[in-house]
């Protein structure tokens, strides 16, 4: 029995069905691959990147708590108030908040397994920090120091190392997901090519019915692949930038916390010991007092460096303004740097306009700004040069300070950037942290003043800033008691 031969239109229907089926299969495969790629990209966006951010912030808060305890111990040895409980508890609250936020993410399975080690090290470090604080509150400075020098340092190092390992794990997995996204994209593209080859073969029978649709589909798929590749590149760039920022912040905190605070504490304790052993009229008493004064200022500068590490854009430094004798501030700074200038063969002197009004400012902060400017001037001025500190009355009832040197000068193209964070004079071998002028500008901004510089290469630089002027004591509107200004020093 012979089967009836299908009518010509039945072949057309069959061919069209095969084409439609091929496209359906291609669409399903592409959708499945795209969904997998989207899930991996989502994992990077909602797990790895936020997780790294929370861990970095938690690591920062751990350093802040250690710094507060160390500062409290140092203050307690001076007979001052111990740990700043409000700041300590606030830092602890932020630490717990960052850890809680991290654990709320859809973490990688292995990340939760590794977290037990991090949690254990953090718990031990926090317990030891609380123990030191309790000793300080009880007035047991020796016990607090023993705990601090005992196991607390090693515990903090282990906790910091555990957080660092967790951050590295998250970053590595994010990078691995990026590679998997690229591999999945290539696999999806290869599968699509095979399915479309079959569709094109059948489409030749259907007189090009599906040619237009196939081309549009391929174009959409190509755009999707390019968009995915672009997203991968952006994610990799963001991850690289984040790692660099974390490395810079960790380097800064490490320098401040370990390389500066410990020797500074030793100098401070030695100065206090010498002061107790010397009488008020002893010849060396003035030098010992100068050492103690500068230790205090350096300690405050270190605190500012730690604050700069976590300042957000638009932040300001705290000040306590009052009527201050500008001549006395300049005199103290000149005394600090006199010996250094003499050793370098540089003339260091001040010129003060007579009958200056008092400056309405934070004396310690302005001394910090002047110390930074004078220190830089001495650093970049050759032997035989001069550094002159001038104070006069500017317009709008402001007090103007000027630090002028005959040093190497600053290139014209670099002048607009000198007050930016981490800026340094690349042409000079004397290098610093690049934060001094940035902090100086922050201090002057907090005083609602203005700071600027004029400079020419080979001729020197002139840094100037202004702060508001206060009234003399006899003016009842202020009622301030201010010591008379020192005579002009030359």
């Amino acid at each position: 029995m012979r089967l009836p031969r299908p009518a010509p239109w039945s072949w057309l229907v069959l061919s069209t069905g095969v084409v439609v089926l091929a496209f359906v299969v291609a669409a399903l495969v592409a959708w499945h691959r795209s969904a997998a790629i989207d899930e991996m990209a989502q994992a990077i966006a909602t797990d790895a990147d936020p997780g790294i951010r929370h861990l970095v912030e938690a690591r920062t808060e751990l350093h802040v708590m250690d710094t507060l305890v160390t500062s409290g111990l140092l203050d307690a040895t001076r007979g001052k108030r111990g740990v700043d409980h409000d700041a300590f508890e606030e830092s602890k609250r932020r630490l717990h908040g960052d850890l809680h936020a991290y654990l709320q993410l859809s973490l990688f399975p292995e990340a939760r397994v590794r977290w037990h080690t991090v949690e254990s090290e953090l718990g031990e470090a926090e317990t030891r920090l609380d123990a030191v604080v309790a000793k300080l509150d009880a007035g047991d400075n020796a016990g607090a120091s023993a705990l601090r020098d005992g196991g607390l340092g090693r515990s903090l190092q282990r906790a910091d190392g555990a957080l660092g390992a967790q951050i590295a794990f998250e970053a590595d997995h994010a990078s691995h997901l990026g590679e998997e996204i690229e591999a999945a994209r290539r696999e999806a593209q290869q599968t699509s090519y095979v399915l479309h080859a079959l569709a094109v073969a059948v489409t030749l029978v259907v007189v090009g019915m599906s040619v237009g649709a196939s081309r549009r589909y391929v174009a959409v798929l190509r755009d999707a692949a390019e968009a995915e590749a672009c997203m991968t590149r952006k994610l990799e760039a963001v991850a690289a930038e984040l790692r660099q920022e974390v490395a810079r912040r960790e380097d800064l905190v490490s320098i401040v916390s370990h390389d500066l605070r410990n020797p500074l504490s030793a100098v401070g304790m030695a100065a206090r010991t010498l002061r107790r052993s010397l009488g008020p009229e002893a010849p060396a008493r003035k030098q010992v007092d100068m050492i103690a004064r500068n230790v205090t200022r350096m300690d405050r500068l270190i605190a500012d460096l730690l604050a700069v590490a976590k300042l957000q854009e638009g932040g300001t430094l705290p000040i306590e303004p009052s009527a201050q004798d500008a001549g006395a501030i300049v005199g103290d700074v000149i005394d600090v740097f006199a010996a250094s200038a003499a050793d370098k063969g540089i003339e260091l002197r001040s010129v003060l306009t007579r009958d200056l009004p008092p400056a309405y400012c934070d004396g310690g902060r302005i001394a910090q700004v002047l110390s930074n400017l004078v220190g830089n001037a001495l650093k970049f001025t050759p032997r035989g040069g001069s550094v002159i500190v001038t104070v006069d009355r500017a317009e709008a009832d402001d007090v103007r300070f000027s630090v002028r040197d005959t040093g190497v000068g600053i290139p014209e193209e670099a002048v607009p950037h000198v007050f930016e964070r981490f800026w340094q004079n690349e042409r000079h071998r004397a290098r610093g942290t690049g934060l001094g002028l940035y902090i100086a500008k922050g201090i002057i901004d907090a005083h609602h003043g203005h700071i600027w510089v004029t400079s020419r290469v080979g001729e020197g630089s002139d840094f100037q800033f202004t702060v508001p002027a206060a009234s003399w004591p006899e003016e009842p509107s202020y009622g301030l008691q201010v010591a008379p200004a020192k005579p002009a020093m030359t």
Side-chain angles (χ1 to χ4, degrees):
M1 179 179 177
R2 294 183 61 185
L3 295 175
R5 186 174 181 178
W9 58 266
S10 63
W11 289 105
L12 180 60
V13 173
L14 179 61
S15 300
T16 303
V18 172
V19 171
V20 172
L21 179 62
F23 275 110
V24 169
V25 172
L28 290 175
V29 171
W31 176 83
H32 176 73
R33 294 296 183 187
S34 298
I37 293 173
D38 289 341
E39 289 178 1
M40 287 185 285
Q42 185 71 13
I44 294 177
T46 62
D47 178 15
D49 290 350
I52 291 174
R53 186 177 68 254
H54 289 309
L55 289 174
V56 168
E57 291 174 353
R59 198 176 188 183
T60 300
E61 294 304 331
L62 185 64
H63 283 291
V64 171
M65 293 170 64
D66 179 32
T67 300
L68 289 171
V69 169
T70 303
S71 299
L73 182 58
L74 181 59
D75 289 342
T77 59
R78 298 172 178 172
K80 299 181 180 179
R81 179 185 174 186
V83 176
D84 185 345
H85 284 276
D86 292 339
F88 184 84
E89 293 300 326
E90 177 62 19
S91 182
K92 184 189 294 186
R93 184 190 65 77
R94 288 196 296 266
L95 171 65
H96 291 170
D98 290 329
L99 298 180
H100 178 73
Y102 172 74
L103 293 176
Q104 296 305 308
L105 300 173
S106 55
L107 303 179
F108 302 110
E110 187 179 349
R112 291 195 177 276
V113 175
R114 297 166 60 94
W115 179 251
H116 294 298
T117 300
V118 179
E119 192 173 33
S120 174
E121 296 295 348
L122 284 174
E124 181 181 354
E126 185 175 339
T127 299
R128 292 180 180 275
L129 285 169
D130 289 337
V132 174
V133 171
K135 288 287 186 181
L136 289 174
D137 290 343
D140 186 2
N141 296 343
S145 179
L147 290 177
R148 178 67 180 85
D149 297 336
L152 177 57
R154 293 188 296 274
S155 179
L156 287 171
Q157 288 179 355
R158 290 195 301 271
D160 183 72
L163 281 171
Q166 195 76 0
I167 292 172
F169 172 81
E170 293 283 353
D172 289 342
H173 273 61
S175 176
H176 180 66
L177 279 177
E179 295 173 357
E180 289 185 355
I181 289 175
E182 183 63 22
R185 184 190 66 80
R186 290 195 299 268
E187 183 179 355
Q189 195 173 48
Q190 293 171 358
T191 304
S192 174
Y193 289 156
V194 172
L195 293 174
H196 279 86
L198 175 61
V200 170
V202 178
T203 301
L204 293 177
V205 181
V206 193
V207 196
M209 288 180 55
S210 306
V211 172
S214 297
R215 289 177 177 175
R216 287 192 297 271
Y217 181 81
V218 171
V220 171
L221 185 62
R222 186 180 297 112
D223 291 341
E226 291 175 356
E228 292 164 358
C230 181
M231 180 185 298
T232 301
R233 289 193 296 270
K234 289 182 178 179
L235 288 173
E236 291 174 350
V238 170
E241 184 179 353
L242 179 61
R243 287 194 293 269
Q244 292 175 359
E245 182 62 27
V246 170
R248 285 195 294 266
R249 180 172 297 180
E250 290 175 350
D251 290 342
L252 178 61
V253 173
S254 176
I255 290 172
V256 173
S257 298
H258 300 93
D259 296 345
L260 295 180
R261 276 269 164 106
N262 292 337
L264 184 60
S265 299
V267 172
M269 287 187 288
R272 289 192 298 275
T273 302
L274 285 173
R275 180 186 291 172
R276 287 194 297 267
S277 64
L278 295 173
E281 303 300 327
R285 182 62 182 261
K286 182 178 180 181
Q287 285 74 19
V288 172
D289 290 341
M290 184 187 304
I291 293 173
R293 252 192 335 268
N294 282 279
V295 166
T296 301
R297 289 177 179 171
M298 290 178 67
D299 187 65
R300 190 169 185 179
L301 175 59
I302 291 173
D304 285 343
L305 291 175
L306 290 173
V308 167
K310 57 181 180 179
L311 272 178
Q312 300 295 325
E313 290 296 330
T316 58
L317 293 175
I319 62 171
E320 298 179 0
S322 61
Q324 298 287 332
D325 182 356
I329 297 175
V330 172
D332 288 343
V333 174
I334 293 292
D335 289 344
V336 170
F337 289 95
S340 177
D343 291 342
K344 295 181 178 181
I346 299 173
E347 177 190 14
L348 175 62
R349 60 189 177 91
S350 65
V351 177
L352 308 181
T353 301
R354 295 187 180 276
D355 300 325
L356 273 176
Y360 187 70
C361 64
D362 185 323
R365 292 290 193 182
I366 297 303
Q368 181 179 345
V369 175
L370 285 172
S371 296
N372 178 270
L373 297 180
V374 172
N376 284 347
L378 293 176
K379 183 190 303 182
F380 295 108
T381 300
R383 179 175 292 276
S386 65
V387 177
I388 302 175
V389 183
T390 304
V391 187
D392 59 10
R393 188 161 190 165
E395 298 177 357
D397 291 332
D398 286 340
V399 176
R400 177 173 54 200
F401 295 79
S402 169
V403 178
R404 186 173 68 255
D405 64 65
T406 58
V408 298
I410 303 171
E412 181 178 357
E413 65 275 10
V415 168
H417 306 288
V418 297
F419 296 106
E420 296 176 359
R421 184 174 55 175
F422 300 124
W423 181 89
Q424 299 184 67
N425 192 342
E426 300 290 345
R427 299 185 180 183
H428 200 277
R429 61 185 180 182
R431 305 288 295 278
T433 64
L435 290 175
L437 294 177
Y438 175 75
I439 295 174
K441 185 178 186 303
I443 293 173
I444 300 305
D445 288 345
H447 284 82
H448 302 288
H450 182 54
I451 185 169
W452 69 96
V453 59
T454 56
S455 181
R456 295 189 64 178
V457 174
E459 296 182 9
S461 304
D462 185 5
F463 282 85
Q464 301 183 45
F465 65 89
T466 61
V467 295
S471 298
W472 287 107
E474 57 267 19
E475 297 186 14
S477 58
Y478 286 89
L480 300 172
Q481 297 299 319
V482 183
K486 289 183 178 179
M489 295 170 16
T490 59

